[in-house]
Amino acid sequence: MRVVSAFCLVVLSLGAAAQTAPVTAPASPSSVTNLAAVAVSGVQPGPGLWKVSKGGHSMLLLGVISPLPQLMQWRSADVETAISGSQQVLQLPDVKLKVDVSFFGKLFLLPSAYSARKNDNGATLQQVLPAPLYARWETLKLKYIGKDSGIERWKPIFASQELYKKALKANQLSKSGGVQASIDALAKKYNVPETSTEYPLVIEHPHDAIKAFKSSGLDDIACFGRTLDAVEQDMPAMTLRANAWATGDLEALRKLPDSDRRGTCITAVTDADFAHKLGLSDVPAKMEANWLELARAALAKNTQTFAMLPIKELLSPDGYLAKLKAEGYQVDAPDDGSDDGDPAAASSAAASPASGASAPAMSPASH
């Protein structure tokens, strides 16, 4: 993973979360929720479950977002009941990078991968960035990273991702909130097999790939600037979205703005020349096709399946669920009494906990 991270870190770290555009035009955070911009803690239920069904077979889906409150304890009786009654759990869609070299070959690639993370000819961020942008970086770096001189020679896209990670932690936010670990524990508890939905991306000639990355580079200034915007301005809105997910407020999730940082940074990678050579430019579409194929197979085989998707794919009018609906599957949002199953217009009420079900407290993540 370290070998390939030098030229596709953003594709890995952002994964499926940036595959679609925001669902609606965002409203200002203050107009859609009265939750304070401080991450919630303690036991939280999360959102209700979506349902896809056809011919007596169903799939129950949990929509997830990132980041989530670091100190929450996620407890969902609905999810435990759903997993206990399922024959299969589909994991989140993602990319699995495979490097086609031997173990020793990977070891020899490490120095090249680490050098690819740095600017050409040992240049510093101060030398490659516009002065106003670097001044903002200096302020935020001191606040969240400290006096780390090594990062000053990283390419802007890598430096900004490190800043973003540190800023999340400082604002008591976590990349995953421990949701995946909790799902894994429940699947193990009820002996329900989990199925990876990762799209395998094979790098057949990693030496050439790293060489191509170094020679073509990235137009990553826009990604760098948008990440600084996210750290400076978007943390309150991200916290409100994280709180809305934790408390099951789907209406707030529809209306709160989602940062376009992910999309900007993924574009910086997928539009680069080396990305086209490696097949990275069409990865989001391949990830979607891969997940839909596995979902159709699970719906045909199992009486009930449990799955997870980025919540954007559940709410978007052209997301994954919308594609299934167009194929004739019925799609119902939590507590949606209608039959139209429109993900974009479905009721926002969270599903009520199943009676008599018990769920363990889910430990917060330690990201």
Side-chain angles (χ1 to χ4, degrees), residues 35-41 44 65-72 144 161-179 230-247 253 256-259 261-262 363-367:
L35 291 171
V38 175
V40 298
S41 60
Q44 302 294 338
I65 66 168
S66 180
L68 287 171
Q70 186 178 38
L71 300 179
M72 76 170 183
Y144 291 111
Q161 297 307 310
E162 182 68 14
L163 173 69
Y164 180 75
K165 182 175 71 174
K166 299 289 188 183
L168 288 184
K169 185 175 181 180
N171 284 274
Q172 295 189 327
L173 295 172
S174 160
K175 183 180 177 182
S176 69
V179 172
V231 173
E232 287 175 334
Q233 305 164 20
D234 297 348
M235 283 294 162
M238 282 189 236
T239 301
L240 291 175
R241 279 177 55 81
N243 289 348
W245 186 95
T247 58
L253 284 172
L256 281 165
D258 189 12
S259 170
R261 178 192 68 87
R262 295 184 182 92
S363 299
S366 57
H367 294 279

Side-chain angles (χ1 to χ4, degrees), residues 191-279:
N191 197 30
V192 181
E194 291 188 85
T195 299
S196 170
T197 64
E198 293 175 325
Y199 170 72
L201 179 62
V202 179
I203 307 298
E204 295 181 350
H205 305 289
H207 288 281
D208 294 339
I210 292 176
K211 185 178 179 180
F213 175 79
K214 288 181 177 180
S215 63
S216 65
L218 288 170
D219 183 12
D220 57 355
I221 300 300
C223 167
F224 185 89
R226 189 62 196 91
T227 303
L228 296 194
D229 292 343
V231 173
E232 287 175 334
Q233 305 164 20
D234 297 348
M235 283 294 162
M238 282 189 236
T239 301
L240 291 175
R241 279 177 55 81
N243 289 348
W245 186 95
T247 58
D249 190 346
L250 293 181
E251 186 61 26
L253 284 172
R254 287 190 179 93
K255 294 180 179 179
L256 281 165
D258 189 12
S259 170
D260 62 354
R261 178 192 68 87
R262 295 184 182 92
T264 303
C265 292
I266 281 187
T267 297
V269 175
T270 57
D271 283 359
D273 289 341
F274 80 93
H276 290 280
K277 294 177 182 177
L278 297 176

Side-chain angles (χ1 to χ4, degrees), residues 27 67 75 92 110 131 154 165 226 229 268 321 336:
R75 177 184 287 166
L92 277 167
L110 283 173
W154 289 14
K165 182 175 71 174
R226 189 62 196 91
D229 292 343
L321 287 200
D336 180 16

Side-chain angles (χ1 to χ4, degrees), residues 13-205:
S13 62
L14 303 178
Q19 292 180 51
T20 57
V23 177
T24 57
S28 62
S30 60
S31 69
V32 295
T33 183
N34 58 7
L35 291 171
V38 175
V40 298
S41 60
V43 176
Q44 302 294 338
L49 302 178
W50 276 256
K51 182 179 180 180
V52 177
S53 56
K54 189 176 185 180
H57 296 231
S58 64
M59 175 180 290
L60 300 174
L61 295 110
L62 174 69
V64 298
I65 66 168
S66 180
L68 287 171
Q70 186 178 38
L71 300 179
M72 76 170 183
Q73 292 176 293
W74 179 54
R75 177 184 287 166
S76 174
D78 282 350
V79 169
E80 178 157 11
T81 300
I83 291 178
S84 68
S86 296
Q87 293 79 57
Q88 186 179 11
V89 170
L90 296 186
Q91 297 175 345
L92 277 167
D94 206 342
V95 178
K96 184 175 184 179
L97 290 162
K98 296 182 178 180
V99 181
D100 190 15
V101 294
S102 66
F103 172 75
F104 290 105
K106 292 179 183 180
L107 291 181
F108 287 122
L109 280 172
L110 283 173
S112 296
Y114 280 121
S115 65
R117 186 176 61 181
K118 297 180 180 179
N119 288 311
D120 296 337
N121 302 317
T124 65
L125 288 172
Q126 187 172 16
Q127 292 171 321
V128 301
L129 293 172
L133 200 56
Y134 182 76
R136 292 171 60 197
W137 157 259
E138 271 195 308
T139 300
L140 293 171
K141 177 198 166 189
L142 184 62
K143 179 178 181 180
Y144 291 111
I145 298 177
K147 298 180 179 180
D148 180 352
S149 59
I151 199 172
E152 288 292 327
R153 297 192 181 277
W154 289 14
K155 293 183 186 296
I157 196 168
F158 297 116
S160 65
Q161 297 307 310
E162 182 68 14
L163 173 69
Y164 180 75
K165 182 175 71 174
K166 299 289 188 183
L168 288 184
K169 185 175 181 180
N171 284 274
Q172 295 189 327
L173 295 172
S174 160
K175 183 180 177 182
S176 69
V179 172
Q180 181 63 64
S182 299
I183 296 298
D184 293 342
L186 288 171
K188 182 177 181 180
K189 176 180 178 180
Y190 292 104
N191 197 30
V192 181
E194 291 188 85
T195 299
S196 170
T197 64
E198 293 175 325
Y199 170 72
L201 179 62
V202 179
I203 307 298
E204 295 181 350
H205 305 289

